[in-house]
Amino acid sequence: MKVTEIVIGNKYHLKGDIINGYKDGKPYISPEEVTRKVTDVTDTYVSCECGRKFLINENLAIEER
């Protein structure tokens, strides 16, 4: 599934990279996998109701639930 097909408010299974704080002044990227409602989509990330922000890159996998 593509990011452009996401409907805000629907539940999706997301697997990919998130910004998990900062280390040495740079974003710390870590892998994550969750099933949550999507609350926002920008050019850079997909945001979930739990606050996680998945980076839109080659590692992002999306499945509708």
Side-chain angles (χ1 to χ4, degrees):
M1 172 171 211
K2 296 179 183 179
V3 173
T4 55
E5 298 173 312
I6 291 176
V7 176
I8 303 299
N10 284 2
K11 190 179 272 192
Y12 296 92
H13 183 80
L14 300 161
K15 182 178 180 181
D17 299 327
I18 63 168
I19 297 175
N20 194 9
Y22 290 83
K23 185 176 182 179
D24 298 326
K26 297 180 181 179
Y28 180 72
I29 307 299
S30 61
E32 186 69 65
E33 185 172 355
V34 297
T35 300
R36 299 281 192 279
K37 284 184 185 177
V38 169
T39 58
D40 190 27
V41 177
T42 70
D43 292 337
T44 311
Y45 62 84
V46 176
S47 183
C48 300
E49 65 183 342
C50 59
R52 289 178 177 90
K53 293 183 178 182
F54 284 84
L55 295 173
I56 297 174
N57 62 18
E58 66 279 350
N59 297 329
L60 182 61
I62 308 163
E63 293 178 23
E64 191 167 11
R65 294 295 171 143

